[in-house]
Amino acid sequence: MSSVLQLARPDLLDLEPYAHAAWVPSLERLHANESPWRTLGDNSAAGLNRYPEPQPRALIARLAELYAVEQDRLLVGRGSDEAIDLLVRAFCRAERDSVMIFPPTFGMYSVAARIQGASVVEVPLAADPRFELDVSAALDQWRPGIKILFVCSPNNPTGTLFDRAAVERLCAALAGKALVVIDEAYIEFAAAPSCSQWLNRFPHLVVLRTLSKAFALAGARCGTLIGEPALVQLLRRMIPPYAMPAPTVDAALKALEAPSRAIAHGRIDLVLAERERVARTLAELSIVRRVWPSAANFLLVSFADAEAVLRAGIAAGLLVRDVRRQPGLGDCLRITIGTPEQNDRLIDAARRA
Ligand SMILES: *Cc1c(COP(=O)(O)O)cnc(C)c1O
């Protein structure tokens, strides 16, 4: 048995998946109780009257190429959120096992854990000087039963790209002990390669990627889990049988064609330039205490009066994320980089606040 499966819930290892209708595109389908006719206005490639391909091969091939990994390492799902949920359910026994998170961080890790009845061990990031991962503290607090560590890098909401050597040290120390999940939802905005380069060295490493941010497909819901083939096999048996809606697959395939990819890369460059400009401009305002360094498409900003900035933003027709309830972020707002015009309006609002 693959070492990573030794960490999974033993009761799931022989799970018989739902037997979904066979996928044989060369034959006409009288085996899935579908309607043989399309609904009005259905211009989709496969026809919305048909159940979709469970793990669409064409999409997996394109994603494998995009992320430079083998196809049998990929699971596609409805956003990275689905992968987070599947991982917690596959590895954590209710009321016995736990996950480790590094707050302030993305909220879905602890929500998924709570739904599964897994407890959450928190190892806070070291705010001084820049919300860095504390690997020694993580290893000190790790104990058997902590099945998954969720490492979000670049981290939401702080924007921190964690020190690569530190993440590598964490992976090396936990080999055979816990799954290390690196959530790279924002990696396209960072000047760093993906940790999926390490997959051959670390079978317990999982990398999460998404088309929601840099590829402008948040509404389509398409995320990818990259990991050990044996782990991917287990999760493919657990994921709901027709998880990927046909319109999502069509939209993702379109977004991965060369012209859309060229546009996406141009927009990433624009976001990076705007991130620098907004950071520099905000840092000069007296209401701004600190603009945290960001490797993502947003900025975490500490304000002398965050409430006033929030209100001024709303008056200017702009919503920014209030993160003040998160540990260590009592005076912070998270501001997504928008169009240059939106960014100008946001800066004006902060100036007026
Ligand atoms: C936005 C975000 C995601 C969600 O991605 P989906 O693919 O849209 O589910 C995952 N992780 C982090 C840290 C995010 O900020």
Side-chain angles (χ1 to χ4, degrees), residues 25-292:
S26 58
L27 297 179
E28 291 170 46
R29 299 168 62 91
L30 297 180
H31 71 327
N33 299 347
E34 300 155 339
S35 166
W37 304 285
R38 290 180 180 230
T39 186
L40 205 59
D42 174 4
N43 300 316
S44 64
L48 294 178
N49 51 321
R50 303 299 181 190
Y51 280 105
E53 191 180 5
Q55 285 285 294
R57 278 166 285 190
L59 180 57
I60 288 187
R62 299 309 299 269
L63 289 168
E65 178 201 327
L66 177 70
Y67 299 138
V69 293
E70 297 89 348
Q71 295 185 29
D72 61 354
R73 289 189 176 280
L74 297 195
L75 176 88
V76 286
R78 289 161 292 187
S80 339
D81 291 336
E82 178 149 51
I84 293 165
D85 178 60
L86 281 173
L87 284 167
V88 173
R89 286 194 283 143
F91 284 78
C92 295
R93 293 165 299 179
E95 279 153 33
R96 292 172 71 178
D97 296 325
S98 326
V99 306
M100 182 182 281
I101 64 170
F102 303 94
T105 192
F106 187 49
M108 270 311 292
Y109 313 135
S110 54
V111 170
R114 282 209 52 196
I115 290 171
Q116 173 62 8
S119 53
V120 178
V121 176
E122 301 192 354
V123 179
L125 298 173
D128 190 25
R130 46 158 233 150
F131 290 110
E132 189 52 78
L133 197 61
D134 187 342
V135 173
S136 308
L139 295 178
D140 278 351
Q141 292 190 44
W142 182 83
R143 49 180 165 67
I146 298 183
K147 292 294 178 67
I148 307 178
L149 289 83
F150 283 106
V151 178
C152 184
S153 181
N155 185 43
N156 178 3
T158 63
T160 327
L161 178 74
F162 297 140
D163 179 67
R164 206 170 160 76
V167 177
E168 195 174 359
R169 195 148 43 87
L170 188 72
C171 288
L174 291 170
K177 295 179 171 171
L179 220 54
V180 178
V181 178
I182 306 188
D183 186 341
E184 295 186 337
Y186 300 99
I187 193 73
E188 290 89 348
F189 302 100
S194 168
C195 291
S196 55
Q197 286 180 336
W198 300 335
L199 283 164
N200 286 323
R201 287 165 59 203
F202 302 130
H204 60 302
L205 171 65
V206 172
V207 174
L208 304 181
R209 304 288 300 259
T210 180
L211 299 182
S212 290
K213 312 284 161 58
F215 284 85
L217 279 188
R221 315 302 301 129
C222 183
T224 303
L225 174 148
I226 308 171
E228 184 70 5
L231 167 65
V232 169
Q233 282 303 325
L234 172 65
L235 299 177
R236 283 185 181 187
R237 285 187 279 136
M238 292 174 59
I239 196 170
Y242 303 104
M244 296 304 287
T248 297
V249 177
D250 289 352
L253 283 171
K254 191 91 201 146
L256 295 174
E257 286 172 5
S260 331
R261 273 168 80 162
I263 290 171
H265 281 112
R267 289 176 178 167
I268 291 169
D269 289 343
L270 177 59
V271 166
L272 299 190
E274 284 292 287
R275 186 178 77 198
E276 283 321 297
R277 180 179 76 89
V278 175
R280 211 176 341 106
T281 314
L282 286 179
E284 287 163 6
L285 304 184
S286 57
I287 198 168
V288 172
R289 288 192 174 132
R290 177 152 190 198
V291 181
W292 295 86

